[in-house]
Amino acid sequence: KFAGSFALSSSGDTILVYCLESRTGNTFHLGGFSFSGDWAYSGLDVSSYGTAFSALPADLGDVGAVTLPEKDNYVYTGPQVGTKEEIQTSISSTGYWSGSNTERKDPITTSFTITSPITPAPSLAPTSPPTPVPTSPPTLAPFASPSPLLAGCNGLDAGDIMIILVNSDNPDVVALAALSDIPEGIDLYMTDNAWTGSTFRSNEGVLKLTI
């Protein structure tokens, strides 16, 4: 279910995918995409971001962001099978993108397959006779407090949703890849408003997607 809208600039823009943090309601960034080149600095005068630039949210400093030079249309062309971390790295790599100012890009029609990391088999330690342990009266374990709510948005984390296609030549098209299971009923947001380092500008649009 969609609500809202935004219009991408064909002369470069940024897109941020976010949700509202489960515990606080604060903005939690899941993915970012710039086809305006490098991200701008945080904390500038808000008018400095214009309609084409944005600061890179701190949530996306290590994973989840794509940074590409200005072209109207882009599609990811890299691997679609691998661990989540491998796919995130590939999507963020500029070498796995095809861009054009004259041709729209077709959406990816095959699914992404996330595999489990391979863990090495444990080595066997030499055995030794058991050591007697002195007995003592049982002690009561301290009361365990309830588990905290999941971080992020019901367990989603930065880089769990990444942009894999943008056509900014009308009509605008943006495609997302979910690299983790998305909880049913969660609200996701996508905007071309600039992030200033602490908040969004409000001079552009926001699209809301309810899963």
Side-chain angles (χ1 to χ4, degrees):
K1 179 181 178 182
F2 291 92
S5 64
F6 63 71
L8 296 174
S9 169
S10 59
S11 58
D13 212 334
T14 59
I15 306 168
L16 291 168
V17 181
Y18 65 97
C19 52
L20 300 180
E21 211 271 342
S22 307
R23 294 167 293 185
T24 65
N26 293 336
T27 300
F28 189 90
H29 297 275
L30 299 169
F33 189 94
S34 170
F35 58 107
S36 291
D38 291 337
W39 299 82
Y41 290 109
S42 298
L44 302 177
D45 180 271
V46 292
S47 62
S48 300
Y49 297 102
T51 60
F53 296 98
S54 170
L56 178 65
D59 296 332
L60 306 178
D62 296 323
V63 65
V66 179
T67 308
L68 298 170
E70 192 277 310
K71 287 186 179 178
D72 294 356
N73 311 303
Y74 272 107
V75 66
Y76 171 69
T77 60
Q80 293 176 238
V81 178
T83 65
K84 182 172 76 170
E85 291 75 17
E86 289 170 342
I87 298 297
Q88 288 170 332
T89 299
S90 294
I91 294 176
S92 294
S93 172
T94 58
Y96 284 129
W97 286 87
S98 173
S100 174
N101 283 319
T102 57
E103 296 180 356
R104 292 176 62 82
K105 296 299 182 178
D106 294 327
I108 296 171
T109 57
T110 52
S111 300
F112 283 71
T113 301
I114 306 300
T115 59
S116 299
I118 298 174
T119 55
S123 57
L124 297 176
T127 59
S128 59
T131 304
V133 178
T135 60
S136 59
T139 57
L140 295 177
F143 174 76
S145 58
S147 299
L149 294 174
L150 293 173
C153 299
N154 294 331
L156 289 179
D157 208 344
D160 280 353
I161 299 176
M162 296 187 70
I163 293 170
I164 56 172
L165 175 137
V166 170
N167 283 320
S168 67
D169 289 339
N170 288 329
D172 292 347
V173 175
V174 177
L176 307 175
L179 305 182
S180 290
D181 292 335
I182 303 177
E184 185 177 356
I186 194 172
D187 291 330
L188 302 177
Y189 301 86
M190 186 164 55
T191 184
D192 58 342
N193 280 310
W195 179 252
T196 66
S198 58
T199 189
F200 284 110
R201 293 195 72 191
S202 58
N203 59 321
E204 299 185 81
V206 180
L207 184 66
K208 176 182 176 181
L209 170 61
T210 300
I211 303 300

